[in-house]
Amino acid sequence: MPGIVIVGVQWGDEGKGKATDLLGERTDWVVKFNGGNNAGHTVVVGDEKYALHLLPSGILSSGVNAVIGNGVVVDLEVLFAELEALQARGVDTSRLRVSANAHVITHYHRTLDKVTERFLGKRQIGTTGRGIGPAYADKINRVGIRVQDLFDENILRQKVEGALDQKNHLLLKVYNRRAITCDEIVDDLLSYADRVRPLVADTSLLLNDALDAGEVVVFEGGQATMLDVDHGTYPFVTSSAATAGGAATGSGVGPNRLDRIVGIVKAYTTRVGSGPFPTELFDESGEWLRSRGFEFGTTTGRPRRVGWYDAPMARYATRINGLTDLVLTKLDILTGLERIPVCVAYDVDGERFDEMPVSQSDFHHATPIYEYLPGWTQDITGARTFDDLPVEAREYVLALEAMSGTHISVIGVGAERDAVVVRRDLV
C-alpha cells in the first residue's frame, strides 16, 4: 500500500512530523500538499531538535525525496532560509523538489494579512500574519503568482501589475498604508529565480511514476481537520484543504492512489488562534497541561489553548477523512493525573449532542459532557510495547479507540524519535 496520507485530527500541532519520521527508511517520498509556513513540525533526531515550517519533515530522513506540492503557498525567503539552516547542520537537502504550479507568497500578501487582521479588531481570526490567506485568496481569484512565473519576467510583471491594481486601492484608501510598486515585487521575486529553478519539477508526474513503481509516498498535511476551510470551525480555519481529500488535489495524484489514511491526535486537545473550543481549560489543570506538554507554537511561539480529549471531534475527523488508523501522541504528558476527563458529548442549551453539531453557533455554545477514566503515576516514556504500559494507560487508549471510531495503531510516549508503542504497522 504505497500511498499513505497523514493528517491532523484536531486543530494542528498533534505531532504529524513524528508520525512521518516513524515511517523512516521505508518511505521513498514525502509530500507537503497544503498550507505554507504558517504551521510547524518539531522533529527530534537523537539529541538534535529541528523546527520546520515550510519544508516536509521527511527532508530529515536520509534518502527520502521531499516534495512541496502544488497545493502549497511558498514564501521563497522562508524556503531558502530553512534550507540554509538545515545545510549548516549537515542535512542533505538535495532531494527537494517544488511544484511549478505552487503559488508564491509576496510582500503584499504579508502586508495585507497583517493590516486586515488588525482592522478586524475583536473579530480577528488569529492568523499568523505570514500572508497565507491572501495568497490563497489570489489563487482562487485567479490573480496569483506561481513558481513557474518567475522564469518569464514579462508574464510575472503583467501578473503583479494586475494584482496590485486592486490591492493598492485597498492599502491606500481603506488601510491608510503606502502603495506598493510593481518593480519592488518583481525585483524581489526575480532575485530567487536562479536559486529555485533547479528545484522546480512536474511533481505530479514524479509522484505518479513513483506510485506506479510501488514506492512508498507519504502525503503530509499541514494544519488539521478542524482547520480545514470546508470542514473546520469556519471562519476560524486555515485557507486550504487540510483533510485527506486535499492530498489528491494538492499533489496531483488521483484519490484512488491513497491507500491508507492516518490521523494524528493528541491524548488531550490544543489549538492556536481564535474560535470555539468546547473542552478548553482556564484553570490550573490547563496550566499544568500547557507546561507539561510544552504547548507553545513551533512557528509563532504563542501559548496554545489546551483542553481534554474530545471524542465526538475525533469521530468527526475519522468520518471526514476516512481514517484507517490513529496515532495517539503525548500520552506521557497525562502521567500523574488521578483521573482523566474525556469529552463524550456536548450540552447545548440543555440538549445533548453525541456528535458534533452541524450548526457553528451550537458548537460555539457547546459545553463538554465528561466521562472520567482512571489515571496512572508510572513513568511510561520507556514503554515500547502495549503491555509495557500500566493497565490504566492501556484502558485509556482502548477507551479512546472505541470512542474515536478507528484503530489506534501507534502511541507516542515521549519526545524522542523512538519513544513510541506500535500496535499495528503503518506501512
Side-chain angles (χ1 to χ4, degrees):
M1 295 190 291
I4 303 170
V5 182
I6 294 179
V7 293
V9 165
Q10 298 153 321
W11 282 287
D13 307 307
E14 299 96 344
K16 294 182 288 294
K18 185 182 183 73
T20 306
D21 187 64
L22 179 66
L23 296 168
E25 296 177 356
R26 295 172 294 177
T27 301
D28 300 297
W29 299 76
V30 175
V31 189
K32 181 167 182 171
F33 62 81
N34 76 302
N37 59 305
N38 56 336
H41 297 310
T42 299
V43 181
V44 179
V45 182
D47 295 330
E48 296 287 323
K49 180 181 287 188
Y50 299 87
L52 304 176
H53 307 285
L54 179 59
L55 295 170
S57 62
I59 200 166
L60 298 173
S61 298
S62 176
V64 173
N65 300 285
V67 171
I68 293 176
N70 58 274
V72 177
V73 288
V74 180
D75 186 319
L76 293 167
E77 180 181 355
V78 172
L79 173 65
F80 288 108
E82 284 200 17
L83 288 173
E84 289 166 4
L86 290 181
Q87 290 161 3
R89 296 174 69 178
V91 177
D92 177 15
T93 62
S94 64
R95 292 175 176 267
L96 175 69
R97 294 295 177 264
V98 179
S99 171
N101 292 337
H103 280 244
V104 174
I105 298 171
T106 69
H107 171 63
Y108 54 77
H109 292 133
R110 292 189 292 268
T111 298
L112 283 168
D113 201 358
K114 292 171 184 174
V115 298
T116 302
E117 186 77 349
R118 284 198 292 269
F119 193 78
L120 288 172
K122 293 181 180 179
R123 296 180 291 112
Q124 288 186 4
I125 303 298
T127 76
T128 59
R130 286 164 167 78
I132 312 297
Y136 275 114
D138 276 5
K139 177 178 179 176
I140 299 304
N141 286 327
R142 292 162 291 184
V143 292
I145 310 297
R146 298 193 293 179
V147 170
Q148 60 181 278
D149 297 329
L150 273 63
F151 310 135
D152 187 326
E153 184 174 349
N154 290 330
I155 291 291
L156 178 62
R157 188 170 294 276
Q158 290 174 32
K159 289 192 171 185
V160 172
E161 286 176 348
L164 286 177
D165 281 346
Q166 179 196 55
K167 289 172 177 56
N168 278 332
H169 284 293
L170 275 174
L171 288 170
L172 284 166
K173 298 175 182 178
V174 177
Y175 300 123
N176 197 29
R177 300 291 292 265
R178 75 169 182 88
I180 296 172
T181 68
C182 178
D183 283 345
E184 64 184 292
I185 299 300
V186 170
D187 289 347
D188 177 61
L189 293 177
L190 287 178
S191 71
Y192 295 104
D194 289 340
R195 297 173 70 189
V196 76
R197 191 188 299 270
L199 306 179
V200 176
D202 182 346
T203 53
S204 171
L205 178 61
L206 292 177
L207 294 172
N208 278 282
D209 285 349
L211 290 165
D212 287 342
E215 296 179 2
V216 175
V217 180
V218 174
F219 301 84
E220 181 181 79
Q223 292 86 41
T225 300
M226 300 309 298
L227 292 174
D228 182 89
V229 69
D230 285 299
H231 302 291
T233 49
Y234 191 89
F236 304 99
V237 293
T238 193
S239 303
S240 61
T243 46
T249 55
S251 63
V253 304
N256 63 325
R257 311 307 298 267
L258 309 177
D259 303 291
R260 203 153 183 182
I261 315 295
V262 180
I264 317 301
V265 63
K266 276 180 184 167
Y268 50 99
T269 309
T270 65
R271 84 170 293 176
V272 171
S274 306
F277 185 175
T279 69
E280 184 172 10
L281 296 168
F282 301 96
D283 57 10
E284 292 179 357
S285 296
E287 289 301 323
W288 184 86
L289 272 179
R290 185 178 295 109
S291 60
R292 286 263 300 174
F294 197 68
E295 296 298 349
F296 300 90
T298 302
T299 296
T300 64
R302 290 185 291 185
R304 294 178 186 137
R305 299 159 64 189
V306 297
W308 301 118
Y309 190 89
D310 189 323
M313 190 166 73
R315 283 197 299 277
Y316 174 79
T318 296
R319 183 172 72 251
I320 292 296
N321 292 289
L323 297 181
T324 59
D325 303 83
L326 279 174
V327 174
L328 182 72
T329 62
K330 290 198 167 186
L331 183 65
D332 55 301
I333 302 304
L334 302 181
T335 299
L337 292 172
E338 184 176 344
R339 61 178 192 162
I340 306 170
V342 175
C343 173
V344 297
Y346 310 112
D347 181 281
V348 181
D349 297 328
E351 181 181 357
R352 180 184 173 109
F353 286 76
D354 290 305
E355 303 295 340
M356 284 191 63
V358 68
S359 164
Q360 182 76 20
S361 180
D362 285 343
F363 194 62
H364 264 283
H365 294 97
T367 57
I369 297 173
Y370 286 118
E371 287 185 7
Y372 295 87
L373 301 174
W376 59 91
T377 58
Q378 301 95 315
D379 179 8
I380 65 171
T381 56
R384 295 297 179 268
T385 71
F386 195 57
D387 288 340
D388 289 341
L389 295 172
V391 62
E392 295 86 359
R394 296 199 301 269
E395 289 175 350
Y396 182 76
V397 171
L398 294 174
L400 297 193
E401 182 175 82
M403 295 176 190
S404 303
T406 194
H407 192 269
I408 294 178
S409 299
V410 178
I411 304 158
V413 293
E416 290 72 24
R417 191 175 194 174
D418 63 343
V420 291
V421 169
V422 179
R423 297 178 66 213
R424 183 168 74 183
D425 200 357
L426 296 178
V427 179

